[in-house]
Amino acid sequence: MTANAAVRGVVEVPGSKSGTNRALVLSALADGPSTVTGALESRDCDLMVDALRALGVNIEASGPGELRIMPPQRFRGAPGGIDCGLAGTVMRFVPPLVALADSPTRFYGDPQATTRPMSGLLDGLRQLGAGIDADSLPFTLVPGPMTSDSEVVMDSSASSQFVSGLLLIGARLPSGLRLRHAGDSLPSRPHIAMTVEMLRARGVRIDEPDATSWRVHSGPVLPLDVRVEPDLTNASVFLAAGAATGGCVTVPGWPGSTLQPGARFLDVAERMGCTTTRSGEAVTLSGPGRLRGIDVDLHDASELTPVVAALAALAEGTTRITGIAHIRGHETDRLSALTTELRKLGVAVIEHHGGLEITGGPRGRGGVELSSYADHRMVHFAAIVALDRPGTGVDDLTCVSKTMPDFPRLWNQLVTT
């Protein structure tokens, strides 16, 4: 949808998918019932709820965004299998739970899920005694006797979720867990820090001897009632509408302190010429007359790449986004997808193995049909560039249900107000 004027408005963003699904898993592992409020209602979170219920967890909805979780004495295998969809948190956090279960479970997902990296995590689970018949979806996991040592060395350079998935069950292993990453640079560290903080909040003792090692001590996971923060990566899309049009957008409920990597968007936007202000628990972004290109390493906040790429296409000069080779294994190969879609728009882009160089400037003015690649973030990219390109659309909006089903309504309300 094209913006006919500077975009101005207030958008209340729903809860964090990362926070919601971690809270659900930890509540399922706890030794008593917990309540999660502010939980995101989306496909990824529905898939997580369904998966946990299949393993014997009792989950009741007591109100909008409020879930009561009652863990079982022991997880059971899921005879009908578990549908992971395209949800990284489901395909990487639930198999470790099944390693604690009483019988095997088959995991499967969307067609695109078969290409998402899994081998590092599955290798780690094999080291803990699980039997697994493949290195990617679909696969069957057979729980085995847990090794007495519980020391795992694995390559998590493809996804920080491999580390988080094992940390989540570490306290439930007979002798705890010693985990070490052995491989290239570890991406998305703030998400690992989020996992560690949420475990510690439930009484789990975790040591971090160095930047690539963790020691989780055996012990109970305490029940805890938690409120989920708004999803700051999703918030960046709406703030970007103000940045792209010289407008002003406010997101209420922005936490004063957070480990969500999406919070980095404020710094990126300021470097591109925007102004951000805080008032209580609200953040307001005001866009400049014209954005400017920057050099930015998004290794720790790679989910922001499509939004930053969209703004780069509208900016003066060249934007170099680095440190993001691992997003080739996200819902789609996002580097390749962004390159293809930017070139459709007439934007000069150079694709590197681990990044993009995008030069903003004169573009074609005709309408373009952009592709979503079944990737919610590519829809966000399309929505931002369409603000400046009459007639531009995207071939599939439904994939936004992954993390924000209400995105089309919220976006149209903001842009047309």
Side-chain angles (χ1 to χ4, degrees):
M1 178 177 293
T2 305
N4 297 317
V7 172
R8 301 180 183 278
V10 179
V11 182
E12 293 205 18
V13 177
S16 160
K17 178 260 296 182
S18 297
T20 297
N21 279 357
R22 281 169 172 78
L24 288 171
V25 170
L26 284 168
S27 297
L29 285 161
D31 57 5
S34 303
T35 299
V36 178
T37 57
L40 176 64
E41 297 179 20
S42 72
R43 187 187 182 213
D44 273 22
C45 297
D46 289 346
L47 287 166
M48 181 63 82
V49 168
D50 290 345
L52 295 176
R53 284 174 172 158
L55 299 183
V57 182
N58 188 340
I59 301 178
E60 297 177 355
S62 50
E66 184 169 317
L67 298 171
R68 183 72 169 168
I69 300 97
M70 285 141 293
Q73 286 293 107
R74 184 180 182 186
F75 297 119
R76 64 180 182 227
I82 287 178
D83 181 3
C84 300
L86 198 51
T89 49
V90 178
M91 66 182 71
R92 291 157 183 162
F93 293 176
V94 179
L97 302 184
V98 172
L100 304 175
D102 61 7
S103 57
T105 295
R106 181 77 171 163
F107 290 86
Y108 60 94
D110 293 356
Q112 300 90 341
T114 62
T115 63
R116 296 202 70 177
M118 290 292 298
S119 60
L121 173 71
L122 300 182
D123 178 58
L125 290 171
R126 290 185 182 107
Q127 293 177 52
L128 290 174
I132 305 166
D133 63 358
D135 287 322
S136 61
L137 287 167
F139 62 85
T140 296
L141 188 150
V142 180
M146 287 293 175
T147 57
S148 59
D149 192 28
S150 293
E151 180 175 8
V152 173
V153 179
M154 67 180 184
D155 183 354
S156 302
S157 54
S159 175
S160 67
Q161 290 174 346
F162 298 171
V163 171
S164 287
L166 291 190
L167 292 180
L168 287 167
I169 67 163
R172 293 285 299 272
L173 300 177
S175 57
L177 173 70
R178 287 184 293 162
L179 176 62
R180 181 165 63 86
H181 163 66
D184 295 334
S185 180
L186 188 60
S188 303
R189 284 184 174 275
H191 280 121
I192 297 175
M194 181 189 299
T195 301
V196 170
E197 182 181 78
M198 293 178 74
L199 280 161
R200 286 173 172 160
R202 290 176 180 266
V204 176
R205 181 182 165 196
I206 303 179
D207 303 323
E208 298 178 83
D210 54 52
T212 58
S213 300
W214 298 264
R215 173 73 169 97
V216 185
H217 295 261
S218 181
V221 179
L222 302 179
L224 182 69
D225 296 340
V226 298
R227 173 170 288 278
V228 178
E229 297 176 351
D231 191 310
L232 304 188
T233 300
N234 281 342
S236 72
V237 184
F238 300 101
L239 295 175
T245 62
C248 183
V249 175
T250 297
V251 173
W254 196 283
S257 175
T258 182
L259 291 172
Q260 288 190 61
R264 272 204 63 199
F265 180 73
L266 299 183
D267 172 66
V268 173
E270 287 175 350
R271 291 179 57 202
M272 296 186 85
C274 299
T275 301
T276 63
T277 57
R278 291 179 181 266
S279 178
E281 292 188 346
V283 161
T284 299
L285 182 146
S286 300
R290 186 67 185 264
L291 296 163
R292 59 174 176 263
I294 61 171
D295 290 355
V296 58
D297 184 338
L298 290 180
H299 188 67
D300 286 347
S302 58
E303 288 284 327
L304 293 173
T305 301
V307 169
V308 176
L311 294 181
L314 306 175
E316 291 180 337
T318 298
T319 296
R320 297 173 183 84
I321 307 173
T322 58
I324 52 174
H326 58 284
I327 71 172
R328 294 187 183 278
H330 281 197
E331 284 78 350
T332 187
D333 179 340
R334 285 183 178 159
L335 290 180
S336 176
L338 286 167
T339 299
T340 298
E341 302 310 300
L342 286 165
R343 286 175 178 162
K344 283 185 187 177
L345 294 160
V347 176
V349 55
I350 301 173
E351 177 183 349
H352 300 288
H353 171 69
L356 299 170
E357 288 186 40
I358 302 166
T359 301
R363 298 168 298 281
R365 303 308 301 173
V368 175
E369 180 80 358
L370 298 174
S371 298
S372 70
Y373 302 83
D375 185 344
H376 58 142
R377 303 294 181 203
M378 292 302 296
V379 174
H380 299 167
F381 164 85
I384 295 165
V385 296
L387 293 172
D388 186 57
R389 186 71 172 263
T392 294
V394 66
D395 64 356
D396 174 28
L397 276 175
T398 61
C399 60
V400 296
S401 65
K402 178 178 171 64
T403 57
M404 194 166 34
D406 210 20
F407 174 73
R409 183 188 67 81
L410 293 172
W411 185 260
N412 289 340
Q413 181 177 297
L414 175 66
V415 173
T416 59
T417 299

